[in-house]
Amino acid sequence: MNGHREPHESPGPITSTAGGAAWETSVRPHLSGAARAADGQSHDRPHPSGPAAGPAAGTVVEEEAARWRRLSGRSPWASGVKSLVVAAGAGAGLVRFLMGRDWTAGGIVAACAGAAVLIVAALVAYDLLRLRATRWRLTPDRLELRSGLTTRQHRSIPRDRVRSVDLRADPVHRMFGLTVVKVGTGEHAGDGDEVALDPLDRHEAEALRRTLLRQEERAAAAREEGPVAELRWSWVRYAPLSVWTFTGAAVVLGALYKGLETVGLKRFTTRIAAGLWEWVVAQPLLAVPLLLALNLLVGVLGAGLLFAESWARYRLEREPGRLRLRRGLLTARSLTLEERRLRGVEINEPLLLRLGGGARIRSIATGLGKSSGDETEDAAALTPPMPRALALQVAATIAGTPLPVTGPAPSDSQAGAPLPVTGTTLPFAGPVPSHGPDGLPGGGAEGPASPDGLPGGGAGGPAAPAGLAGHPGAALRRRVVRAGVAAVVAVAAAAVAELTAPWAWVGGWVWTAPVAVLVLGLWHAVVSAGNLGHALGSRHLIARRGAVVRRTVALDRAGIAGWTVTESFFQRRAGLLTVSATTAAGRGHYEVVDVGRADGLELAAQAVPGLLDPFLTREAPSTRP
Amino acid sequence: MSVTGLRPPRNRADRRAVPWWTVQWLILMVPVAGAAVAAYWFLTERPVWLGGVVAVFALGCLTLAVVAPRAAYRVERWEVTDQAVYTRKGLLTHTWQVAPMSRIQRVDTARGPVQRLFGLADVTVTTASSAGAVKIEALDHEVAAELAERLTARTQATPGDAT
């Protein structure tokens, strides 16, 4: 594999991987718009050498199967560049320290240079030693990795257990054509779960991915289907719809202030802060709106940049048996998720995004949460924020079946929305007795519970859009009562504050707090109750909840590993209960909250036929009018 | 037919559960009540009204220790069918749990030191879900061992990786 040192000059077997590596070879930090467009095209049509490339790529790795191989020899260069950051930080600290000791400028420069050389040399040397100590190989059965300077480790994954191959290349890695490969088995087994090859040659990494996932012969066919979703830059308008837009700039400023302080520029920052404060005090009418506007501007800009870095070149593809997600402007990421690990999708709508008509899709998969715990970003995210209608479409595509949540975007179930009441036409809506006679003769999954034949859910009002059945009015009453209790507590706290606070100005203003609590509480109660909903798809159990962040979960019914039904004292009096489906994937349990007792139990019984049925008590319809 | 509710599982905990839980409650409650009385006796001027309050509190603690296990015994039930493990528990918040045989990954029995004096054991049935563990409490230890064996045999007979 020496040829990998100069991949572009060597015509050997490496070029045959071009079909798979196309996007990565054209991916550079200085990528222009035209190049990006060309890059996009190379995906849309099957690469000419695609079908031939696949098997050949496999053999590249396969040929040398039994041989122990090294990681990429260019890794020390990348470590060298990265260590400059550490060296710069250490240099700054050193400058500050030596300035305090009255060193001359020349002495300081010399000391800094010495320290920098030392640090870079040490880190590069460490990386060289690490490379020397690390070997990996791919046998016909297993992927093996020997590593460790002081503690020798030997990790071995059976190839048929490989569930994910994630590629990741940060900007420095990409400068040197390197990629970090993480091979996971998708089990929560802890340490032995993942083998990381840090780093491999870009082409070698791609070839390894293709070999491990055995997609060679099918890759070309998959390409023609087109992607499940692909970035449109207009989605950037959803990026600022987050709390961070309003707080992010202030947070960054605070961190910067602290950071400059530690580097020894405290006098400087203090002077700026003092000047700013004087200005605000002198001209509050001008300064405050201006600062707020500036904060917002920085926030919007930051959100846009973050969106670009995370989601540029976003592309979600369905390959046979798996989903492949590629994204990232500076750091290129490629995640492959086996579909047999997938147990459903979650449609995520935080308040601001929801008001803006957007939504995000997250996957519900087994063994996903822990494996990427070192990364700050959400490993389950499948899409950037995108228009809601499109998100629902993508969710249905990923789920492989139409989900009853699809339909016209609801009016966000805002205040005043009529709640589902007795007698709605939806099979699951309304309190217990309303559908006794007409209800559920079949009992099977395809009985009247299947919402496909429902008339759009219009009868349920905005609370039950497109097939989702709303929950009984008692669910709203519970939430209103809770808001009332919170308000009473706030009133009591305000009274105490007024009586005991030593400042006179507290007197009037303190009473705004209970009012705010009451208003917010009522808003939360109404929206939360309105957002409650559930349905049974042909393959999925769908449950929706949440006021601030609305989550619509479509959980594969085959992935349900049990039920937990809870009924609190107050729920019992209101005829409600909470049905929780436990599963091996995602958060481990997904609830249908505050559903009518009979509806909830019937839903659970039909979602997994035969499981709950033996434990239900039923009443013959003849006993009811 | 309309659903009216969940029927209670067939089996209760062992009779010895009541004394065992009572001992557990007493281990918790006697120090609490004792601390209240001691604080009243040594740290205050022993006003009569406070004495009444402390007495009511201490008696309440002890009453709870006697009543709660009996109430729990009435509520806690379990059942194992060929298809599933089914349990009920909870006084104020009722909780029913169902775990299908095909999804069971592990069966554990556990016996604490005090529990051993009463000849009791707990059986915990774990599924692939982090939230799905089902616990059957306070069985006769021989019944528990037999049950664990039966469950293990059944789940081993079921194919698949239970996720």
Side-chain angles (χ1 to χ4, degrees):
Chain A
M1 275 290 173
N2 285 335
H4 277 174
R5 298 284 161 90
E6 296 91 23
H8 300 287
E9 294 165 29
S10 147
I14 292 90
T15 46
S16 62
T17 64
W23 76 287
E24 268 134 344
T25 42
S26 60
V27 169
R28 288 284 153 89
H30 51 77
L31 191 72
S32 68
R36 198 183 300 122
D39 183 38
Q41 279 176 6
S42 76
H43 290 295
D44 293 337
R45 61 189 155 74
H47 197 281
S49 65
T59 54
V60 171
V61 183
E62 220 69 82
E63 265 169 19
E64 317 187 8
R67 194 165 68 78
W68 284 98
R69 297 150 71 184
R70 295 167 177 240
L71 302 178
S72 172
R74 287 196 299 277
S75 174
W77 293 102
S79 330
V81 171
K82 283 184 185 171
S83 65
L84 288 179
V85 177
V86 183
L94 204 61
V95 166
R96 189 191 167 198
F97 178 72
L98 295 179
M99 293 252 273
R101 306 246 158 158
D102 292 331
W103 279 42
T104 60
I108 291 176
V109 169
C112 282
V117 168
L118 216 64
I119 288 170
V120 172
L123 288 177
V124 169
Y126 171 78
D127 202 43
L128 279 170
L129 286 176
R130 188 180 67 90
L131 283 192
R132 270 177 61 99
T134 309
R135 295 281 187 284
W136 66 279
R137 73 170 173 182
L138 190 68
T139 70
D141 303 324
R142 314 180 77 84
L143 174 69
E144 290 177 83
L145 175 72
R146 286 177 191 277
S147 63
L149 275 176
T150 50
T151 314
R152 295 292 294 168
Q153 278 186 324
H154 184 190
R155 283 194 186 162
S156 170
I157 299 184
R159 276 174 66 173
D160 55 5
R161 296 271 291 280
V162 169
R163 292 288 173 273
S164 67
V165 180
D166 295 345
L167 311 183
R168 191 182 169 88
D170 60 40
V172 177
H173 277 141
R174 283 167 51 179
M175 255 162 61
F176 294 99
L178 300 170
T179 299
V180 177
V181 182
K182 282 187 180 173
V183 181
T185 56
E187 286 162 11
H188 291 293
D191 265 359
D193 182 34
E194 209 171 56
V195 163
L197 302 172
D198 180 9
L200 289 186
D201 239 59
R202 191 163 54 210
H203 303 279
E204 209 175 2
E206 182 62 23
L208 179 64
R209 187 191 89 87
R210 294 160 66 84
T211 311
L212 282 176
L213 295 176
R214 279 188 227 94
Q215 60 167 28
E216 305 84 5
E217 60 282 344
R218 290 170 297 190
R223 286 273 158 75
E224 284 167 38
E225 285 176 18
V228 175
E230 206 168 11
L231 182 74
R232 268 173 237 146
W233 279 104
S234 59
W235 296 347
V236 79
R237 69 179 183 272
Y238 295 117
L241 297 177
S242 136
V243 186
W244 292 108
T245 304
F246 302 96
T247 57
V251 169
V252 168
L253 201 68
L256 204 67
Y257 185 80
K258 268 286 179 216
L260 287 177
E261 206 166 282
T262 48
V263 191
L265 296 172
K266 182 168 182 177
R267 252 175 303 166
F268 177 63
T269 50
T270 314
R271 218 166 48 225
I272 290 187
L276 210 60
W277 180 245
E278 266 171 37
W279 182 50
V280 169
V281 172
Q283 288 170 297
L285 285 183
L286 176 70
V288 171
L290 211 64
L291 283 177
L292 286 179
L294 192 70
N295 178 45
L296 194 65
L297 189 75
V298 171
V300 167
L301 209 68
L305 288 176
L306 209 62
F307 179 89
E309 153 56 12
S310 299
W311 296 104
R313 286 197 299 273
Y314 163 72
R315 193 178 163 86
L316 183 67
E317 286 169 309
R318 184 192 287 276
E319 294 172 354
R322 66 184 68 93
L323 286 170
R324 185 173 190 198
L325 169 72
R326 288 186 285 193
R327 63 192 181 88
L329 183 64
L330 297 176
T331 300
R333 308 146 176 100
S334 154
L335 288 99
T336 311
L337 180 68
E338 290 242 337
E339 277 184 342
R340 58 177 146 153
R341 278 174 60 198
L342 201 64
R343 296 286 183 278
V345 289
E346 180 183 307
I347 302 159
N348 207 302
E349 297 164 282
L351 181 61
L352 287 171
L353 188 59
R354 194 162 82 224
L355 293 176
R360 284 190 303 239
I361 309 286
R362 302 178 73 240
S363 65
I364 299 174
T366 58
L368 199 62
K370 304 280 187 329
S371 66
S372 39
D374 55 329
E375 288 167 25
T376 49
E377 49 198 27
D378 186 4
L382 284 179
T383 72
M386 53 163 67
R388 188 169 187 276
L390 188 63
L392 296 181
Q393 211 177 314
V394 171
T397 314
I398 295 169
T401 160
L403 299 173
V405 283
T406 46
S411 58
D412 194 36
S413 312
Q414 277 303 342
L419 282 173
V421 287
T422 316
T424 48
T425 56
L426 301 172
F428 282 125
V432 185
S434 67
H435 67 277
D438 58 65
L440 319 164
E446 302 306 322
S450 168
D452 297 338
L454 292 174
L468 275 185
H471 290 193
L476 174 63
R477 282 196 291 279
R478 261 166 75 73
R479 283 161 176 73
V480 170
V481 167
R482 265 184 231 158
V485 168
V488 167
V489 170
V491 165
V496 169
E498 192 180 15
L499 288 178
T500 56
W503 308 287
W505 58 268
V506 168
W509 287 102
V510 77
W511 292 103
T512 53
V515 174
V517 167
L518 183 66
V519 170
L520 280 177
L522 285 178
W523 170 84
H524 188 273
V526 170
V527 173
S528 169
N531 279 346
L532 287 177
H534 63 267
L536 209 57
S538 55
R539 265 181 49 207
H540 293 81
L541 169 70
I542 291 130
R544 190 179 65 184
R545 66 184 291 200
V548 178
V549 179
R550 180 166 74 182
R551 295 191 172 89
T552 313
V553 168
L555 183 65
D556 195 335
R557 284 152 59 180
I560 295 175
W563 296 103
T564 302
V565 180
T566 55
E567 193 184 63
S568 73
F569 177 71
F570 293 109
Q571 273 182 319
R572 190 153 53 246
R573 285 166 48 114
L576 302 174
L577 42 71
T578 294
V579 177
S580 166
T582 58
T583 173
R587 265 179 295 144
H589 55 98
Y590 292 92
E591 283 95 9
V592 182
V593 181
D594 280 347
V595 64
R597 184 181 291 131
D599 295 338
L601 294 175
E602 190 70 59
L603 177 76
Q606 295 193 0
V608 185
L611 178 56
L612 202 60
D613 269 323
F615 309 124
L616 292 176
T617 52
R618 291 179 186 272
E619 198 169 85
S622 56
T623 61
R624 284 180 178 274
Chain B
M1 286 196 300
S2 71
V3 176
T4 53
L6 283 157
R7 71 167 173 76
R10 292 191 201 290
N11 309 307
R12 287 172 190 265
D14 193 272
R15 285 221 160 269
R16 282 165 291 177
V18 174
W20 174 49
W21 286 330
T22 310
V23 167
Q24 271 192 316
W25 274 94
L26 286 175
I27 288 172
L28 185 74
M29 283 304 176
V30 166
V32 171
V37 171
Y40 168 74
W41 198 254
F42 294 113
L43 302 181
T44 67
E45 302 283 306
R46 299 174 203 164
V48 175
W49 65 270
L50 193 60
V53 171
V54 168
V56 167
F57 175 74
L59 279 178
C61 283
L62 298 180
T63 314
L64 191 64
V66 173
V67 171
R70 281 157 183 80
Y73 179 75
R74 292 169 64 89
V75 174
E76 287 206 14
R77 283 164 169 267
W78 63 277
E79 180 175 341
V80 175
T81 68
D82 282 351
Q83 272 78 44
V85 179
Y86 177 43
T87 65
R88 181 183 79 175
K89 64 174 182 236
L91 262 180
L92 287 179
T93 298
H94 293 182
T95 303
W96 295 263
Q97 281 182 294
V98 181
M101 286 290 174
S102 57
R103 305 304 179 114
I104 293 174
Q105 287 194 330
R106 217 175 64 205
V107 182
D108 300 321
T109 54
R111 304 178 68 191
V114 186
Q115 210 174 4
R116 208 168 302 170
L117 293 179
F118 289 94
L120 297 172
D122 296 339
V123 177
T124 306
V125 174
T126 313
T127 63
S129 164
S130 50
V134 178
K135 195 171 177 187
I136 304 173
E137 278 188 279
L139 299 180
D140 179 86
H141 71 99
E142 276 169 17
V143 173
E146 194 186 319
L147 179 66
E149 217 164 278
R150 213 174 97 211
L151 285 173
T152 313
R154 259 209 69 85
T155 50
Q156 274 171 352
T158 322
D161 65 350
T163 60

